[in-house]
Amino acid sequence: SAADDNNGYEVGIGGDLNHNWSAFFTLGQGDVHRLTGDIDSRDNLVLGLGYSDQQNGPRQGRILYEVQQDRGHSNHNHRRLKLEAQTKPNRDTTLLLGLDRSEGTDLDQGMVDVQNNRWDLVFAYRPVLHDRFNFIGKYSWLDKRQPQNQQGMVGLEAEKAQIFALDLLVDIS
């Protein structure tokens, strides 16, 4: 949690692979001092890959994969996959896609005890030559589950939602 005290080290390296691709790698190890007084050993690995192409219609994307292991009083594995992509099929339209999926496994119980999933799809139409009109649409799918003994701010152990949002902005002046 945010109140736990962490110490350790991380080593990372990253850079451009060519004019479109970049990558990075981070490896870390340390101790997590829990509020209960327990100390867990933590290892983590993060891999990332990015793409950007500004010449053939702006396109960019990023993928991140993270693995974290806690050992000691708590034997827990955590994995996260995050994907983001954006493109402009023409100068007036932008499309965005996002995926964020994470899962925690309690090895002592042999079960997945926390899971967070989110998908986002965004469409924006913003005409360059007619900037008095803007249309933005977004769809999000949410599925969050947390440990049974850890309730959220409103006392929920799970949250599921499908969210649709539409914005139409017209300058009438």
Side-chain angles (χ1 to χ4, degrees):
S1 77
D4 291 337
D5 183 26
N6 303 306
N7 62 26
Y9 67 88
E10 279 192 342
V11 177
I13 187 169
D16 292 337
L17 303 175
N18 62 32
H19 67 280
N20 292 108
W21 291 93
S22 61
F24 74 92
F25 158 83
T26 304
L27 186 63
Q29 187 175 32
D31 294 327
V32 180
H33 299 262
R34 306 284 182 191
L35 291 175
T36 59
D38 298 319
I39 299 175
D40 291 339
S41 173
R42 175 172 289 169
D43 297 323
N44 67 296
L45 167 70
V46 182
L47 302 170
L49 186 64
Y51 177 81
S52 180
D53 182 359
Q54 301 302 317
Q55 294 176 350
N56 300 316
R59 291 184 298 226
Q60 54 190 6
R62 178 175 83 140
I63 189 167
L64 174 84
Y65 182 70
E66 181 178 359
V67 178
Q68 179 177 297
Q69 295 179 332
D70 289 352
R71 298 294 183 267
H73 183 267
S74 170
N75 294 309
H76 199 262
N77 287 348
H78 183 81
R79 292 185 313 269
R80 180 180 187 198
L81 176 66
K82 187 172 184 175
L83 171 70
E84 297 171 337
Q86 177 180 338
T87 187
K88 286 184 74 72
N90 57 56
R91 67 180 182 176
D92 298 334
T93 307
T94 303
L95 301 172
L96 296 118
L97 171 70
L99 162 70
D100 195 350
R101 175 167 168 58
S102 64
E103 179 178 280
T105 305
D106 183 333
L107 299 177
D108 294 330
Q109 300 293 323
M111 61 182 261
V112 173
D113 63 349
V114 62
Q115 195 172 38
N116 293 305
N117 299 300
R118 182 181 181 114
W119 285 85
D120 292 313
L121 182 60
V122 180
F123 170 82
Y125 179 69
R126 304 175 73 192
V128 173
L129 298 177
H130 305 284
D131 63 351
R132 297 178 64 193
F133 172 79
N134 290 285
F135 175 77
I136 301 170
K138 181 177 181 181
Y139 169 75
S140 294
W141 176 78
L142 211 36
D143 183 12
K144 293 184 176 185
R145 299 176 198 155
Q146 56 195 24
Q148 294 177 356
N149 60 354
Q150 178 184 340
Q151 294 185 344
M153 296 292 287
V154 292
L156 298 176
E157 293 177 2
E159 176 184 0
K160 290 186 179 188
Q162 292 190 53
I163 304 162
F164 297 92
L166 296 174
D167 289 332
L168 177 62
L169 305 156
V170 179
D171 184 1
I172 56 175
S173 59

